[in-house]
Amino acid sequence: MFIISRCRMKQFWRPSQLGTGGESGVQTFCALSSSLAYLCIGLVRSWASTGLPSLNDAANNTNPAVLLTAPLSGDTASWIVSLPPMGAILGSCLSSLTLNWAGRKCSIILSGVMFFLSFLLIGLASIPSSVEMVIAGRALSGIGVGLAVPSAAIYVAECSSPALRGTLSSLPAFLMAFGVLLGYVFGIFLPWHHLAYFCCTPAVLLVLAMMFLPDTPLYLASKGETEKAARSLAWLRGTSVEAVSQEISSMRCGVEGSTETTHEDVGLIREFFSCPNLHPLLLTFVLHFLQNWSGVNVIVFKTVHVFETVGSSIDKYVCTAIVGGVQLVSTGVSVFLVDRAGRRPLLMISGLLMTISMGSLAVFLCFQSSIPDSWRWLPLVSIIGSFLGYSVGYASIPFIIMGEMLPARTRSVSGALSSTFNLTCLFLVLKFYTSLAEMIEYHGVYWLFTAVNMFGVIFVFCFLPETKGKSLQEIEDIFSKKKSKIVRLL
C-alpha cells in the first residue's frame, strides 16, 4: 500500500525535471524503462536453465552451496521450473485490479518489487540450504511476471504514437531476450544463489526508473485527471499542453461515451462479452497458445536439459549461450522490421521457420540412435533456427497485439485475462513436457510442436487483421465495424 501510494505522488513525476526532448526519444525512454520488467521476466526464465543444474548436482564439487537434499526428485525439479507460470496466473488476476485502481505505472513498480523479493529469497535459500525457500521464491517471481506482462505491454502501447508503436512495443520482447542471455551467460560462471543475487539488480533499476515517469494519458483521462493526462501526453509528444488539449478532450469524450453506453444500454458485463471485445480477445488467446506451444519456451526454460536429450556433440552450456545470443540478435532485428513489414507477414514467416526447425528436430530424434557422431551438431542448428523464427514474430508480436487490439474500456480486464491465458499455456507446456515425452516419446512431442506451428501460419493468414500504422482508436473501429456489418446482415 505504501509503495503504491508513494508512486502516485506528484513529486515522482516532474516533466520539467526530465526535459521535453523529441517525441521519439521520450517515448523510447518510457518504453525502455517499463521494458526492464520484461528483462526481469527473461531472468526468471533463464535462471531455471542454469541455476537448477547448479543446485541439484550433488557431485558438483565447485559449488559449495549445492542443496543438501540434492539430487532432487524429478517432480520437485519440475515444480521449480514450472512454478513461475503458475504464480503468474495469480499475478495476472491481480493485475486486473492494479491496472484499474493504481494505474499502469504502479502495476509495473509493484512487479519490480516482487522480482526483487523473489530473487533475494532464492539467494538467501543457500544459507539454510532450503529447497522450500527456492520454491517460494520461484512462486513469488511468477506473481511478478503476471503483474508485469499486461502492465508493461499496455503501458508501452498507450504511451506510443501510431508510427512508433510497433517498434517500441517490440522492446519488451528484446529486453526479455537480453534477460535470458544474461541468465545463460552469468549462469555458466555463477552458482545458483549468486546468480539470484545478480538478478536483483534489474528489479531495483526498474522500480527506480518507473518512479520518475508519468502514467499513461489514457489511464489518467479515464480517471478524470484531465490536467495530468494533458501534461503526460504533452511530455510524450515533446510539445505544449495547449497543443494536445483537443486530443485529450476527444480521449475524455470517448471514455465518457463508453461509460454512458455501458450504464444505459448494455452494462459493463454485457460490454465485456460484446463482439468488439471478444473478437480481439480470442485472437490474443490463439496467439498466446501458438507462442507457448511452438516449443521454443520449453527450450528457453530447459535449455541444458534439451541439449542433454538430443545428445549434441557441443558442450551443453556453450549451446545454451549460443542460442541465447541468437535469440537476442534476431529479436533485435525484429524491432526494426515490425513497423515496416507488418504483424501478419512476420508472424507467418516466424511460424514457417519454426515449423521447419521443429520438424527437423523431430526427424533427428526419430533416428537419433543411428546418426553418427560427426552429425550431432544438427540439433544445435535446428534449435538456432527455431529461435530465429520465434524471435522474428512470436517472441514479441502477441504482446504487441495484446497492447493495441484490446478495447480501451475493457483493456485492463481483457489484458489481465489474456495474460492469464498466456501463462496458463506456459505452465501446462512446461509441467507436462516430460509427461508427454513418456507417452509419445520426445520425437512425438516435437512433431506436436511442428503441427502447432503449421496451424499458426494458416490461422494468421486467414483470421488476423493487420494493425501496422493504425491508431488505437482505428484498431478498435475495425472490430466495431465488423459488429455493425453482422447486425445489418441480421
CSV table of all heavy atoms in Angstrom, one decimal, residues 147 161 260 273 306 310 321 323 338:
chain,number,residue,atom,x,y,z
A,147,LEU,N,2.0,-9.8,-13.1
A,147,LEU,CA,1.8,-8.3,-13.0
A,147,LEU,C,2.5,-7.6,-14.1
A,147,LEU,O,1.9,-6.6,-14.7
A,147,LEU,CB,2.3,-7.8,-11.7
A,147,LEU,CG,1.5,-8.1,-10.4
A,147,LEU,CD1,2.3,-7.8,-9.2
A,147,LEU,CD2,0.2,-7.4,-10.4
A,161,SER,N,3.2,6.7,-30.0
A,161,SER,CA,2.4,7.2,-31.2
A,161,SER,C,2.3,6.1,-32.2
A,161,SER,O,3.0,5.1,-32.2
A,161,SER,CB,3.2,8.4,-31.9
A,161,SER,OG,3.5,9.4,-31.0
A,260,GLU,N,-21.1,6.0,-20.6
A,260,GLU,CA,-22.6,6.2,-20.7
A,260,GLU,C,-23.3,5.0,-21.4
A,260,GLU,O,-24.3,4.6,-21.0
A,260,GLU,CB,-22.8,7.5,-21.5
A,260,GLU,CG,-24.2,7.9,-21.6
A,260,GLU,CD,-24.4,9.2,-22.4
A,260,GLU,OE1,-23.4,9.9,-22.7
A,260,GLU,OE2,-25.6,9.5,-22.7
A,273,PHE,N,-18.6,-9.0,-22.9
A,273,PHE,CA,-19.0,-10.1,-23.7
A,273,PHE,C,-19.5,-9.7,-25.1
A,273,PHE,O,-20.0,-10.5,-25.8
A,273,PHE,CB,-20.1,-11.0,-23.0
A,273,PHE,CG,-19.5,-11.8,-21.9
A,273,PHE,CD1,-19.8,-11.4,-20.6
A,273,PHE,CD2,-18.8,-12.9,-22.1
A,273,PHE,CE1,-19.2,-12.1,-19.5
A,273,PHE,CE2,-18.3,-13.7,-21.1
A,273,PHE,CZ,-18.5,-13.3,-19.7
A,306,VAL,N,17.3,-29.9,-22.6
A,306,VAL,CA,17.0,-30.3,-24.0
A,306,VAL,C,18.3,-30.7,-24.8
A,306,VAL,O,18.2,-31.7,-25.5
A,306,VAL,CB,16.4,-29.0,-24.7
A,306,VAL,CG1,16.3,-29.3,-26.2
A,306,VAL,CG2,15.0,-28.8,-24.1
A,310,VAL,N,18.8,-34.3,-26.7
A,310,VAL,CA,19.1,-34.6,-28.2
A,310,VAL,C,20.6,-35.0,-28.4
A,310,VAL,O,20.9,-35.5,-29.5
A,310,VAL,CB,18.9,-33.3,-29.0
A,310,VAL,CG1,17.5,-32.8,-28.9
A,310,VAL,CG2,19.8,-32.1,-28.5
A,321,ALA,N,24.5,-20.8,-24.3
A,321,ALA,CA,24.9,-19.4,-24.5
A,321,ALA,C,24.7,-19.0,-26.0
A,321,ALA,O,24.3,-17.8,-26.3
A,321,ALA,CB,26.3,-19.2,-24.1
A,323,VAL,N,22.5,-20.1,-28.3
A,323,VAL,CA,21.1,-19.9,-28.6
A,323,VAL,C,20.5,-18.6,-27.9
A,323,VAL,O,19.7,-17.9,-28.5
A,323,VAL,CB,20.2,-21.1,-28.3
A,323,VAL,CG1,20.6,-22.3,-29.1
A,323,VAL,CG2,20.2,-21.5,-26.8
A,338,VAL,N,9.1,-4.7,-37.5
A,338,VAL,CA,7.7,-4.9,-37.2
A,338,VAL,C,6.8,-3.8,-37.8
A,338,VAL,O,5.7,-4.0,-38.2
A,338,VAL,CB,7.5,-5.1,-35.7
A,338,VAL,CG1,7.8,-3.8,-34.9
A,338,VAL,CG2,6.1,-5.6,-35.4
